[in-house]
Amino acid sequence: MADDYGKFITLEGSEGVGKTTNIEFVCQFLETNNVPFIRTREPGGTPLAEALREAMLAVREEEVSGMTELLIVFAARTQHLEQVIRPALALGQWVVCDRFTDASYAYQGYGRGLNLEHITALESWVQNGLQPDLTLLLDLAPDVAEQRMQERTKDRMESEQREFYQRVRAGYLERAAEQARFRIIDAQQSVDGVAAQIETHITDLIRHWRG
Ligand code: TMP
């Protein structure tokens, strides 16, 4: 029997791994397969959460602590979950989200060095057991990602040094090793190669959902 609830898919990875191209591919693939979905992102996804995103990413003179970042992203996440994600899933729509809580572990936990237990506490408080059904992790060495990023105007996070991105990548890989919902995708292969892998994972999830 088909599942009444939609499935929750998240895409993760550091800057420059090709998240935007691949999220578009995921959405096209769902459309082709007549799966109802919404596409959204974090931090963001509602007017208030988008305002928090702007506040978080703006380049500023003042130093911004990792804890401040963490509380901003979880405030935005609370609003996003209540206003958008939970209602969509309850209506049977799939949610395709560009980043979610794994990014808080990778960036604030591993990147900024915050205590992972604090993140886990916020996660259980805010999510109350809700987790993505599938997380696609686009993995790429930071030096290759950096080359791809050269043309962009950088926000506050993108202005971090390579060592920061090495820690972020290691954090993502560590989480992926611990949680069955992750699929690691080598983002160095061709666009078609990445798309083929994504297609396989989403096809499995659609089959499971249709029952
Ligand atoms: P992006 O989604 O356009 O890549 O940018 C979002 C930025 O915010 C990116 O640098 C990662 C960062 N971020 C965190 O640091 N923690 C989080 O929990 C989330 C969702 C994003």
Side-chain angles (χ1 to χ4, degrees):
M1 212 184 79
D3 199 339
D4 286 341
Y5 269 76
K7 293 286 180 192
F8 184 17
I9 303 177
T10 57
L11 267 88
E12 297 282 359
S14 312
E15 276 75 1
V17 297
K19 244 173 346 93
T20 308
T21 309
N22 288 300
I23 211 158
E24 271 157 23
F25 177 75
V26 169
C27 293
Q28 272 169 21
F29 190 70
L30 291 178
E31 221 165 273
T32 310
N33 283 278
N34 297 316
V35 175
F37 70 93
I38 58 157
R39 172 184 170 173
T40 186
R41 68 172 181 180
E42 289 218 343
T46 82
L48 172 57
E50 289 289 332
L52 291 168
R53 175 191 179 93
E54 268 183 50
M56 146 112 174
L57 297 180
V59 176
R60 42 182 100 238
E61 302 262 309
E62 174 185 4
E63 206 174 299
V64 179
S65 77
M67 188 61 96
T68 303
E69 286 178 358
L70 184 68
L71 294 171
I72 292 175
V73 293
F74 268 99
R77 183 162 298 137
T78 304
Q79 186 69 4
H80 192 204
L81 278 164
E82 287 177 8
Q83 297 294 314
V84 176
I85 299 179
R86 289 189 197 278
L89 294 173
L91 285 172
Q93 288 179 314
W94 286 36
V95 174
V96 180
C97 193
D98 187 342
R99 298 192 187 283
F100 194 61
T101 303
D102 297 306
S104 309
Y105 280 96
Y107 284 78
Q108 281 69 50
Y110 292 81
R112 301 281 188 228
L114 292 191
N115 185 339
L116 298 180
E117 283 174 15
H118 291 165
I119 305 179
T120 306
L122 283 169
E123 178 184 30
S124 62
W125 188 27
V126 166
Q127 288 166 229
N128 198 17
L130 180 72
Q131 287 292 347
D133 296 291
L134 172 68
T135 298
L136 300 168
L137 172 60
L138 295 160
D139 179 56
L140 189 63
D143 51 332
V144 182
E146 229 171 74
Q147 284 162 19
R148 294 190 186 174
M149 293 277 300
Q150 267 165 8
E151 304 298 307
R152 288 197 214 171
T153 312
K154 294 191 167 71
D155 65 33
R156 196 175 55 79
M157 301 299 284
E158 289 166 345
S159 309
E160 284 298 333
Q161 301 302 309
R162 188 180 294 174
E163 294 70 41
F164 176 81
Y165 283 105
Q166 276 159 348
R167 293 196 297 278
V168 168
R169 182 192 194 196
Y172 270 131
L173 290 172
E174 207 160 300
R175 285 192 61 73
E178 286 164 2
Q179 316 233 355
R181 66 183 158 83
F182 270 89
R183 300 289 175 272
I184 302 174
I185 296 165
D186 174 4
Q188 193 153 9
Q189 59 185 318
S190 68
V191 173
D192 288 349
V194 172
Q197 266 186 276
I198 291 180
E199 195 172 310
T200 309
H201 300 315
I202 308 258
T203 303
D204 284 349
L205 199 59
I206 295 176
R207 198 172 299 135
H208 184 249
W209 181 66
R210 293 215 160 114

